[in-house]
Amino acid sequence: MEVTNKKSLSEMAYDKIKEMILHLEIKPGERIPEERITEIVKCSRTPVREALRKLNEEGLVVSYPGRYSEVAKYSKEDIKKIGELRLAQDLLACQLAIRHGSNSELSVLKKISEKCRISAEKGNIFERIYYDSMFHLEITKIGKNQLLLENQTKLYMRIHLIQISKYTNIEDSITQISKHKDIIDALYSRDDKKARSLVCHHLKDFYDIDEEIINMYLD
Amino acid sequence: MEVTNKKSLSEMAYDKIKEMILHLEIKPGERIPEERITEIVKCSRTPVREALRKLNEEGLVVSYPGRYSEVAKYSKEDIKKIGELRLAQDLLACQLAIRHGSNSELSVLKKISEKCRISAEKGNIFERIYYDSMFHLEITKIGKNQLLLENQTKLYMRIHLIQISKYTNIEDSITQISKHKDIIDALYSRDDKKARSLVCHHLKDFYDIDEEIINMYLD
DNA sequence: CTTGACAATATTGTATACATTTCTTCTATA
DNA sequence: TATAGAAGAAATGTATACAATATTGTCAAG
């Protein structure tokens, strides 16, 4: 089977808007008139509309039908709820990776984690967030549940937006990333309880997840 | 704030296609040419395309860009993976409902469960599946995590399609539904371990979920 | 200074036309 | 009979026009 590289204008518009949002070139709360994108991508409104609808489904854009679309802006409450979902999905991903992942598949995680660390040290915040998402999504990929991967991909788009909107200093970044290594070790040794515990504590504080929710996965 | 009832043609096309799929008027694997829907909804292709893209995002339709769209058709493997995700999300939903739901909110579950039972006894399979989804989605609603509710709503669209595609006899239906009552009791008594155990066993067989995944939530 | 009404402007929703690509059918050839 | 290829039909991707709706700006009245 051949894979065609040719992208439709819809896809190009989608990629461009997504990139602009994730690089804060359009800020949360800012409106996105269709016309504005047609000027950038140099296409008509039809593909732009399609792209905006997709980004709306994925949660990066909020559309008010017949009125306007704007970049999503998450409240503290929203972030907590995203965290609850992320925790549930990340834990399932770990369990599946332990069950279905070979050591050679797991070894990819080391490389991604290393890239993440280097980006953090360089102070490149966008790159660091990008590789951090990639790290977690790779775990999901190894678990081989395509639907979970799709959900995680969408969820991590929101997480990306949250992370670039929050100020994070380099020390915190590096502390966080150092935990990646522990997770990798737990996966290699197929220690699911350890992996779960690590993931729970990795997320608990950032998302302010309730103790009771955490306990649900640890008892 | 006023709520406008006026639906756009896109929404009407979306509703119609969704209804047709969930009532097996278009069968899994069957192609959906845009033209066909324009004749039914009596609108141009523009709103129909929008509706199809949305259904594609939600998993009821599979689109091959530049080629065609068809009704999704799930393999045994797909169903297992849907089950894994459903379990994770249903369990989170229960935990949140226990934590954030009042008794009066929980009482709604009884009414829905009763409607579900009546539909099953009448032998109305579409109605039974509809109320069964509604029952589980109501638990999520009570948990008050809007993002989880959106994800669950989409997931239950797939589940609806799976359930109507599988033959289910009335006895099995009624046995399944009788378990709703136990779940309601566990939620009322705020017994999260009990609720989790019930949900796990409610889903395990239907989706053929691995023992290890189940144990992850029960230990 | 604030408020409300109205005009002007901007933006979205939808229909339609057409180019491009894919799918189907039919025929010529081996 | 099987197969490759071409012609025709069908379906999608995109641009554009216009109607309907929402937003913004202006100005007079309180």
Side-chain angles (χ1 to χ4, degrees), chain A residues 159-209:
Chain A
I159 290 168
H160 189 121
L161 187 52
I162 292 168
Q163 292 190 332
I164 51 168
S165 304
K166 271 198 185 185
Y167 171 75
T168 322
N169 62 37
I170 296 174
E171 289 74 41
D172 284 355
S173 277
I174 292 175
T175 312
Q176 281 290 309
I177 293 165
S178 73
K179 292 183 184 169
H180 285 180
K181 208 192 154 306
D182 300 330
I183 293 174
I184 295 173
D185 289 341
L187 295 178
Y188 262 106
S189 49
R190 317 289 159 177
D191 186 342
D192 60 330
K193 288 200 186 220
K194 184 72 191 280
R196 259 180 277 159
S197 163
L198 287 166
V199 170
C200 282
H201 293 103
H202 187 55
L203 303 183
K204 186 177 181 303
D205 294 333
F206 187 85
Y207 294 100
D208 188 32
I209 298 172

Side-chain angles (χ1 to χ4, degrees), chain A residues 117-134:
Chain A
R117 192 183 56 75
I118 291 168
S119 303
E121 283 172 358
K122 281 195 301 189
N124 188 332
I125 180 82
F126 291 111
E127 213 176 86
R128 180 189 78 68
I129 292 169
Y130 173 77
Y131 283 120
D132 188 74
S133 291
M134 189 187 271

